[in-house]
């Protein structure tokens, strides 16, 4: 019986998922990110200290727990993202790492939120982060969208648009307005898409001590959006001054201009983007797919200067995370991705009779050694039935072993064309060698 929020893809969907993961991994490695996998569990105090609500964390507990055991299992929770465990890993292994440290991580995470389309309780994320000791140069903030842009350009998916903001812009603006509780203002403005401007304005007055005029100014800032540096003039026109605001605008211009050179149209400065987690301190990213904007972000992240600290040591970082399950769930729901066949098999070796199974296995072995996915027919049924077996599974070729001195032959069961072939040399067309993924 299915459990809501815990997706299980069918084999064709899993083939698509693996294809997507291979493209993500290859692009991450092209940019020099090294692979990492961290444990699934973290101490609860570690998971809850950076702004995540406790109701979303799954607690790990044994049915037969020993209450006298030190550090009981109930003090552990499943990680809800990959950034918190990564920060812990950096602190524990700082002496063994070379900084700046670039890593990618592709793992399951668990979050106890209400399941809906494209939003799950168990899901796969693909993260990249760069961390350094003491200070992290800003150019890494400009690199993140470029990597993600290249990932999405390599996939048969709708065009992506990365929305970028900088928390320094927002916090500096709120300070310049005279609002002291900038974090509360940020959290409230982050709800704009969910509850709309009127309710956000009311909440700002109620929870952040804003006047009606201050709330209106916050909403005007959130309306500003541009794919070039013109957003700076729009912010200046609001008449607010603050040194942190100036710093944030300068950084945001650098991100937008670097992206415009690398991939025009990829990045848009959108000053309502805030990101809900408290640990972000500067640049923040959210990504939408064209045609799927109503579902929100499928890739997000940002700059965090204080997430990983130990005594006087600090390891600032910047990262971005692709919600792989979220993205695929939305695309599968629209039949927007297709795979050329539901199995990896390229060739089925027909079986004339059971006595010839060892010879057929040798043919299959010769093909596999050259990277051609091959299986032997399950039974020595009539050849027509064996062809239908291959056909039902989308396998393009059936191999017929030569008997009584005749040559082997291979048949393309889509066209009916059949040619003599040697398992040591025969090659399928490149497009048939592997199952291929395309837009549905």
């Amino acid at each position: 019986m299915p459990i809501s929020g815990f997706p299980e893809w069918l084999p064709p969907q899993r083939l698509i998922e693996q294809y997507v993961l291979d493209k993500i991994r290859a692009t991450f490695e092209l940019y020099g990110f090294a692979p990492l996998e961290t444990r699934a569990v973290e101490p609860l105090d570690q998971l809850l200290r950076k702004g995540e609500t406790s109701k979303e964390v799954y607690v790990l507990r044994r049915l037969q727990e020993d209450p006298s055991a030190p550090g009981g299992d109930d003090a552990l929770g499943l990680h809800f993202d990959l950034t918190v465990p990564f920060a812990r890993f950096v602190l524990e292994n700082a002496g063994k790492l070379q900084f700046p440290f670039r890593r990618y991580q592709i793992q399951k995470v668990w979050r106890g939120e209400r399941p809906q389309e494209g939003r799950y309780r168990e899901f796969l994320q693909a993260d990249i982060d760069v961390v350094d000791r003491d200070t992290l140069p800003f150019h890494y903030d400009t690199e993140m969208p470029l990597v993600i842009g290249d990932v999405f350009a390599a996939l048969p998916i709708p065009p992506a648009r990365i929305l970028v903001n900088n928390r320094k812009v927002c916090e500096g603006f709120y300070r310049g307005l005279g609002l002291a509780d900038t974090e509360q203002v940020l959290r409230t403005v982050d709800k704009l898409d969910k509850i709309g401007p009127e309710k956000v304005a009311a909440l700002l007055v109620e929870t952040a001590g804003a006047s009606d005029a201050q709330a209106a100014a916050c909403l005007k800032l959130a309306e500003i959006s541009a794919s070039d540096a013109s957003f700076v003039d729009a912010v200046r026109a609001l008449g607010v001054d603050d040194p942190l605001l100036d710093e944030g605008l300068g950084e945001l211009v650098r991100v937008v201009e670097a992206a415009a050179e690398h991939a025009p149209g990829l990045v848009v400065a959108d000053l309502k983007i805030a990101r809900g987690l408290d640990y972000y301190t500067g640049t923040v990213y959210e990504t939408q797919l064209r045609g799927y904007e109503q579902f929100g972000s499928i890739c997000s992240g940002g700059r965090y200067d204080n997430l990983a600290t130990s005594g006087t040591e600090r390891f600032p970082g910047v990262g971005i995370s692709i919600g792989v399950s979220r993205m695929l769930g939305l695309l599968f729901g629209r039949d927007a991705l297709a795979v050329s066949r539901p199995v990896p098999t390229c060739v089925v070796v027909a079986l004339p009779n059971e006595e010839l199974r060892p010879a057929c296995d040798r043919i299959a072995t010769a093909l596999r050694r050259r990277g051609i996915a091959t299986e032997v027919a399950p039974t020595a049924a009539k050849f027509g039935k064996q062809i239908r077996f291959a056909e039902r599974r989308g396998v393009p070729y059936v191999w017929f072993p030569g008997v009584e001195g005749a040559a082997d032959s291979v048949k393309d069961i889509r066209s009916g064309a059949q040619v003599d072939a040697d398992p040591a040399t025969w090659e399928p067309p490149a497009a048939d060698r592997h199952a291929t993924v395309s837009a549905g």
Side-chain angles (χ1 to χ4, degrees), residues 132-351:
D132 209 340
R133 199 186 291 270
D134 300 325
T135 59
L136 179 72
F138 183 78
H139 64 79
Y140 292 112
D141 291 47
T142 71
E143 182 184 36
M144 291 290 139
L146 312 187
V147 183
I148 297 304
D150 285 359
V151 167
F152 289 153
L155 297 173
I157 61 174
R161 190 176 63 149
I162 303 177
L163 310 177
V164 183
N165 195 7
N166 192 303
R167 282 202 171 186
K168 294 174 186 175
V169 171
C170 300
E171 290 182 31
F173 187 85
Y174 304 151
R175 263 194 226 170
L177 280 176
L179 293 168
D181 192 352
T182 57
E183 284 194 2
Q184 180 59 43
V185 180
L186 269 173
R187 280 194 293 270
T188 306
V189 171
D190 196 40
K191 298 175 181 175
L192 256 174
D193 287 339
K194 292 179 182 174
I195 65 174
E198 287 183 14
K199 289 184 178 175
V200 166
L203 271 178
L204 287 172
V205 172
E206 181 186 330
T207 64
S211 67
D212 289 342
Q214 288 171 325
C218 292
L219 291 174
K220 282 181 183 172
L221 179 74
E223 288 172 3
I224 295 171
S225 175
S227 57
D228 56 26
S230 63
F231 67 87
V232 176
D233 292 336
V235 174
R236 296 291 185 212
L238 298 178
V240 175
D241 288 313
D242 184 86
L244 190 63
L245 172 62
D246 297 340
E247 185 181 331
L249 288 172
E251 290 182 351
L252 192 51
V253 166
R254 288 178 63 185
V255 174
V256 170
E257 290 185 342
E261 182 178 337
H262 181 81
L266 173 67
V267 164
V268 173
D270 189 323
L271 302 197
K272 74 174 179 295
I273 303 300
R275 304 293 306 134
L277 294 170
D278 290 347
Y279 51 65
Y280 295 121
T281 55
T283 312
V284 284
Y285 316 95
E286 288 193 356
T287 308
Q288 297 175 343
L289 289 184
R290 190 173 298 166
Y292 296 80
E293 290 89 351
Q294 72 270 33
F295 297 105
S297 180
I298 50 98
C299 173
S300 55
R303 175 79 173 223
Y304 48 90
D305 284 326
N306 305 307
L307 185 64
T309 54
S310 176
T312 57
E313 275 200 306
R314 193 174 64 135
F315 298 91
V318 62
I320 195 163
S321 171
I322 302 170
V324 179
S325 302
R326 177 170 173 71
M327 177 178 74
L328 289 178
L330 294 172
L331 294 169
F332 289 158
R334 301 290 184 281
D335 294 322
L337 291 173
V339 66
S340 58
R341 55 182 185 259
V343 294
T345 311
C346 177
V347 178
V348 167
V349 179
L351 185 65

Side-chain angles (χ1 to χ4, degrees), residues 39 42 87-96:
R39 65 199 184 203
E42 297 292 335
R88 187 264 312 157
F89 179 90
V90 169
L91 290 176
E92 290 180 2
N93 295 278
K96 304 170 190 171

Side-chain angles (χ1 to χ4, degrees), residues 41-44 47 57-61 71-78:
V41 298
E42 297 292 335
L44 280 178
L47 289 173
V57 174
Y58 281 106
V59 173
L60 194 70
R61 182 172 58 85
D73 287 343
D74 61 350
L76 299 176
L78 294 172

